[in-house]
Amino acid sequence: GQNIDQPTEMTATEGAIVQINCTYQTSGFNGLFWYQQHAGEAPTFLSYNVLDGLEEKGRFSSFLSRSKGYSYLLLKELQMKDSASYLCAVTDSNYQLIWGAGTKLIIKP
Amino acid sequence: GAVVSQHPSRVICKSGTSVKIECRSLDFQATTMFWYRQFPKQSLMLMATSNEGSKATYEQGVEKDKFLINHASLTLSTLTVTSAHPEDSSFYICSAGRGQVNEQFFGPGTRLTVL
C-alpha cells in the first residue's frame, strides 16, 4: 500500500527553528509537496521537491532524499502566524497525489 | 497566477435538499480537478478526480450517485451533494491541477452544514 508518515503534533517557541519530517512509501515518485493549512481554511502551497537536496524559500526550506523516502520542512525564525497544520503529499507513478495526515504545529511565545 | 475560486463559501441547508458547489480556475486551464472533504481536526480526504469531458473517478467508499461531479470545461467543475443529510456536514475543498505533475491549487473551500 501507499503510506505517508508525519508526526501528529509538534510544539516550538517563537523565534526558534523547527523541522517537520515526512517519510513515504509509494508506488513510484513524481515529486513531493508541502502545504500549509490554517484552521478552517484551504491548504496553501509551500514547496515542491522532485530532485534530492534542499530548496530554500525565505524562512521555509524543504529537503528531499528519494533513496531514503524522506523529506523535511524546516521553518526558521518562527512566528505566531506559523501555527498551522503542515501537510506532506507525494505524487505517485500515476501522478496521483497521496496525502499525509498533517502535522499540527503549535507556536508558543 | 493560479487562482481557484469556490462558491458558495458557506451554505446551510435542510436535510433532504441538494447543494451545488462550483469550482473555477480563474487564470489557467486545469488539466484535472479534485474534490476533497475534510472533517474537523482530520486530514483532507480525496473524494474524486475529474477530467474535463469525462466521468469522474471516485475514491473507494464515496457514493457517486450522492456526490455528482460535472466537469463542463477546463475551468469549471461542480460538485452536487444530493439529498444531503447531517452527516454530510463538512468542509468541501476543490483543487485544480496544472501541468504534468498536477501541481494543485486549492479553492478557499465550502463549509456545508446540513440541519
Side-chain angles (χ1 to χ4, degrees):
Chain A
Q2 311 212 81
N3 193 49
I4 296 184
D5 288 314
Q6 49 181 132
T8 305
E9 187 174 297
M10 298 181 71
T11 303
T13 306
E14 189 177 15
I17 299 173
V18 71
Q19 177 174 311
I20 303 174
N21 295 325
C22 171
T23 57
Y24 62 89
Q25 300 94 40
T26 57
S27 55
F29 178 84
N30 278 301
L32 184 145
F33 295 88
W34 282 97
Y35 286 86
Q36 180 191 59
Q37 186 178 23
H38 285 100
E41 299 180 13
T44 55
F45 171 81
L46 288 179
S47 67
Y48 172 67
N49 294 67
V50 67
L51 299 176
D52 290 349
L54 187 68
E55 295 276 345
E56 296 186 76
K57 192 184 294 185
R59 294 189 299 115
F60 293 7
S61 303
S62 57
F63 170 84
L64 174 67
S65 169
R66 288 171 296 171
S67 62
K68 295 181 179 179
Y70 167 70
S71 172
Y72 68 72
L73 179 69
L74 191 70
L75 292 78
K76 302 176 184 176
E77 300 169 19
L78 286 170
Q79 302 174 10
M80 296 304 293
K81 67 178 182 179
D82 297 330
S83 292
S85 286
Y86 291 85
L87 304 169
C88 172
V90 172
T91 306
D92 68 9
S93 57
N94 294 319
Y95 293 100
Q96 182 175 355
L97 203 59
I98 314 300
W99 290 92
T103 298
K104 182 179 180 181
L105 178 63
I106 300 168
I107 310 295
K108 295 185 175 179
Chain B
V3 178
V4 177
S5 71
Q6 200 171 328
H7 177 81
S9 58
R10 188 180 296 267
V11 59
I12 300 172
C13 69
K14 292 182 179 180
S15 185
T17 60
S18 294
V19 175
K20 180 186 283 189
I21 303 170
E22 287 190 354
C23 178
R24 293 179 185 271
S25 55
L26 299 184
D27 52 2
F28 68 101
Q29 292 186 327
T31 49
T32 308
M33 285 191 170
F34 305 84
W35 287 96
Y36 294 87
R37 181 167 52 183
Q38 187 175 37
F39 293 105
K41 299 183 180 180
Q42 295 187 22
S43 185
L44 294 172
M45 186 187 79
L46 179 65
M47 298 175 68
T49 303
S50 73
N51 294 290
E52 182 259 343
S54 61
K55 289 184 178 180
T57 301
Y58 289 81
E59 295 299 300
Q60 195 171 10
V62 179
E63 300 172 59
K64 61 180 181 181
D65 295 329
K66 181 171 181 62
F67 298 99
L68 302 178
I69 293 173
N70 182 275
H71 196 152
S73 73
L74 286 171
T75 60
L76 172 65
S77 177
T78 60
L79 168 68
T80 302
V81 183
T82 61
S83 187
H85 288 95
E87 58 265 31
D88 297 324
S89 298
S90 186
F91 191 44
Y92 290 87
I93 309 171
C94 75
S95 72
R98 186 179 70 176
Q100 186 183 22
V101 296
N102 255 332
E103 181 183 354
Q104 294 188 31
F105 299 91
F106 287 86
T110 298
R111 189 160 301 282
L112 171 64
T113 303
V114 184
L115 303 176

